[in-house]
Amino acid sequence: MYQDTQIQEPWQRMHAFATGVSGGAGSMHPIGPVALGKLPIVSRFMKGVFRMNTPQPKLCTTRKVQVALDHLKRLRPVEELSLREISGNLVLLLALTSAARAHELAALDLDHLTEKEDSWEFTLAVHVKQSRPGHPARKIYLPAYPVNRKLCVVTTVRAYRARTIAIRQFLKLLLALIAPHAPISSQTVSRWLRNILKLAEINPTFTGHSTRSASTTAAAEAGIPLELILEAADWSSAGTFRAHYLRPTGIGKETFANSVISG
């Protein structure tokens, strides 16, 4: 029977159980002429499960981008930050400016870096989620932001590399905070992101992966062409963005109601 030792929320347990029942209904033999999933008692049970599991609103993450950036602005200059602080700042800026996944950030390698005065670009020499035959290697483009050095990902990467020279034994960009300072995993990247979001006093329901949704939605609302967003996030279809990552803030929704009232 289904084990849910790591599932805490009641609705998650119910969803998992319902998934198991519905999956099993398709694979088990019918009872007489009626398939298991078509039995009235099973149908009634599943309708009850559906009613108990009320719809949950999708999290709107775009407003949290500015909250997180405001937190970075309040900190000391990057050259004065501790290794722990600059590591957290770096993964946040990398995630927001590149819309990269956690495992892609963990794969960043200094041996596959093109460094310019106003930008850095990493080429991922490993297979990632979107890797497929004929698809070019994923590139992570990081432009400089001279307006504010605290928010400049190039400045932060450069400062982080200088800070880790003495302890660096690996070419992967992101290193663990404790000896032997080995390359970190995608799980550690996600944990660092959650920690920096918590320091910015952002609701803990916003996970590290929410930065991907937040950055791409913010870009869309700023008028960035869709093809540039898809290229930055390494999506082949706009449908993926619209279905799973686009989280409009609600700006402009009053237009419909106002037009009706004003006649």
Side-chain angles (χ1 to χ4, degrees), residues 38-72:
K38 299 293 185 179
L39 289 175
I41 190 172
V42 175
S43 298
R44 289 178 59 190
F45 173 76
M46 297 305 296
K47 288 179 181 178
V49 170
F50 172 76
R51 293 191 178 97
M52 291 179 65
N53 186 17
T54 56
Q56 302 294 318
K58 293 182 178 180
L59 295 176
C60 176
T61 57
T62 54
R63 291 174 183 171
K64 303 304 178 182
V65 173
Q66 193 56 51
V67 174
L69 295 179
D70 287 342
H71 170 70
L72 298 185

Side-chain angles (χ1 to χ4, degrees), residues 2-3 21 31-32 36 42 44 54 63 91 95 126 129 146 148 163 171-172 174-175 180 182 199 201-203 217 249:
Y2 179 80
Q3 300 293 324
V21 171
I31 300 178
L36 179 61
V42 175
R44 289 178 59 190
T54 56
R63 291 174 183 171
V91 293
V126 297
K129 184 177 180 181
N148 190 328
R163 179 69 58 83
L171 288 174
K172 285 287 190 289
L174 300 174
L175 303 178
L199 290 174
E201 299 182 348
I202 293 176
N203 191 303
T217 299
T249 59

Side-chain angles (χ1 to χ4, degrees), residues 120-170:
W120 285 22
E121 186 174 61
F122 288 91
T123 300
L124 299 187
V126 297
H127 287 304
V128 295
K129 184 177 180 181
Q130 292 295 98
S131 296
R132 55 191 182 275
H135 187 65
R138 172 83 155 109
K139 294 182 181 293
I140 305 295
Y141 177 73
L142 307 172
Y145 186 68
V147 176
N148 190 328
R149 297 183 75 253
K150 293 182 180 180
L151 303 183
C152 178
V153 64
V154 172
T155 298
T156 306
V157 174
R158 188 176 288 123
Y160 177 83
R161 185 175 64 174
R163 179 69 58 83
T164 56
I165 285 180
I167 62 173
R168 182 173 292 280
Q169 303 179 49
F170 305 90

